Amino acid sequence: MSTILERPRPVVREPVPAPPPARRVRRSPVHSVGRSGLYIAVVLTVLVMSIPMIWMVLASFKTEAELSTLPLQWLPEAFNLDNYRQAATTIPLGRMFLNSVLLTVLGSGLKVMLGLCCAYALVFLDIPFKKFMFALVLFTLLIPAQITIIPNYTLVASLGWLNTYQGILVPGLASAFGTFLFRQHFLTLPAAVLEAAEMDGAGHWRRLWRFVVPMSIPTVVAVSLVSLVGEWNEYLWPRLVTDSTDTMPLPVGLTLLQDIDGMNSWGVLMAATVIVTMPIVVGFLILQRRLVAGFTAGATTG
């Protein structure tokens, strides 16, 4: 008995109709003028914000005579590093830089960790008065930091923490802003993932670090960057609790440099200011997309 194999019939594809030609949208003159006005506003804003920084960087390479020349001389005659060398020999710039790095990393890291734990407890733990406690967190955002300076200073001085790292760090560790942003993002996370993790035997600590944090990376990066900028630029509180160069961060060191050199060495001050400013500017340029994504994620939650 023979078997006759049938050849597969060729698939006849119907011709796909060509898409209609795109209609050119004719913009009205009012729309074009408005668009041009927005571009001009953006360019002017960028110039206003960037010119002082460009002037600061160029001034750090100038001599005192070039800084006092009229009319203003934008470019230095030579890009020498004498101002940077003088700033490094006048104050212990390297030690202050390490102090700033240490205080910034520790302070921002602890702020993020405490904010994560507090937000997780407010969202995923069944504890009484959760709404009241969250209202207290929001209320602390309305209190100016200057009001708490005297009580904090009295407490730190009574503990013997003046001129110490813990005296600079501990009073500012609670971050209501980070807790608020994390809570708003945690409310949008899929509950099924966390329920599955709970059925699999994962405790709260494991659920936080294995599931919640990996799903919240943009928000974590945004809060981390804001905390990094705040800790790096912190001036008033470290200025009050430390007068020793062993624990003094860079922004306070600028004041020390100004007190030593007076108001005449503007080139040296500009060089030290560039050293203080540039690390945080570079970090912001690298992480700006994550920062925007994190703020957007927090703003669209209910």
Side-chain angles (χ1 to χ4, degrees):
M1 183 177 180
S2 63
T3 303
I4 301 175
L5 298 178
E6 295 183 356
R7 292 183 178 181
R9 296 180 179 178
V11 177
V12 180
R13 296 181 178 179
E14 297 181 356
V16 178
R23 297 181 58 184
R24 188 173 181 179
V25 179
R26 300 183 63 181
R27 303 183 184 277
S28 64
V30 176
H31 180 82
S32 300
V33 171
R35 193 179 182 86
S36 302
L38 289 177
Y39 279 122
I40 293 172
V42 170
V43 171
L44 288 177
T45 304
V46 171
L47 286 177
V48 169
M49 295 178 66
S50 60
I51 283 179
M53 187 166 294
I54 294 172
W55 170 261
M56 177 185 70
V57 175
L58 294 176
S60 67
F61 297 101
K62 294 179 181 177
T63 62
E64 295 301 324
E66 291 173 340
L67 284 170
S68 57
T69 300
L70 290 177
L72 293 177
Q73 179 182 343
W74 276 90
L75 295 177
E77 295 291 338
F79 286 89
N80 58 62
L81 301 176
D82 292 341
N83 291 326
Y84 290 91
R85 294 192 189 96
Q86 187 175 345
T89 55
T90 305
I91 59 174
L93 208 57
R95 178 58 184 266
M96 293 178 179
F97 184 83
L98 292 178
N99 289 338
S100 286
V101 171
L102 177 66
L103 292 171
T104 300
V105 172
L106 282 178
S108 57
L110 290 173
K111 274 185 177 179
V112 171
M113 191 176 71
L114 290 175
L116 283 170
C117 295
C118 184
Y120 182 90
L122 290 174
V123 175
F124 298 109
L125 294 186
D126 188 15
I127 55 177
F129 307 113
K130 282 201 302 186
K131 291 185 178 179
F132 176 72
M133 286 188 281
F134 180 61
L136 281 181
V137 172
L138 291 182
F139 182 72
T140 58
L141 290 172
L142 305 177
I143 301 175
Q146 290 79 6
I147 293 178
T148 61
I149 282 181
I150 294 178
N152 284 337
Y153 182 83
T154 305
L155 177 62
V156 168
S158 63
L159 293 173
W161 285 0
L162 296 180
N163 291 319
T164 60
Y165 292 125
Q166 64 267 28
I168 301 174
L169 279 176
V170 172
L173 287 184
S175 174
F177 169 75
T179 303
F180 168 74
L181 209 62
F182 285 139
R183 177 192 178 271
Q184 296 304 103
H185 179 70
F186 289 171
L187 291 174
T188 67
L189 297 180
V193 176
L194 298 177
E195 290 173 0
E198 184 179 3
M199 294 177 64
D200 197 35
H204 288 295
W205 191 253
R206 185 182 174 193
R207 270 180 271 170
L208 172 62
W209 296 108
R210 295 290 299 275
F211 300 98
V212 175
V213 172
M215 290 188 291
S216 311
I217 291 300
T219 307
V220 173
V221 173
V223 176
S224 301
L225 188 53
V226 172
S227 301
L228 284 172
V229 174
E231 291 292 327
W232 183 268
N233 293 328
E234 185 65 43
Y235 170 77
L236 182 58
W237 178 250
R239 182 76 173 89
L240 289 176
V241 298
T242 182
D243 57 0
S244 170
T245 55
D246 292 335
T247 56
M248 190 177 290
L250 272 176
V252 185
L254 279 181
T255 305
L256 180 63
L257 181 64
Q258 187 174 345
D259 293 338
I260 294 175
D261 277 356
M263 298 296 292
N264 296 323
S265 303
W266 288 106
V268 179
L269 284 176
M270 291 297 106
T273 308
V274 169
I275 296 173
V276 174
T277 309
M278 281 302 133
I280 212 67
V281 172
V282 173
F284 175 77
L285 293 176
I286 294 174
L287 299 174
Q288 59 177 336
R289 287 190 176 181
R290 294 280 189 178
L291 178 68
V292 175
F295 282 135
T296 305
T300 55
T301 59

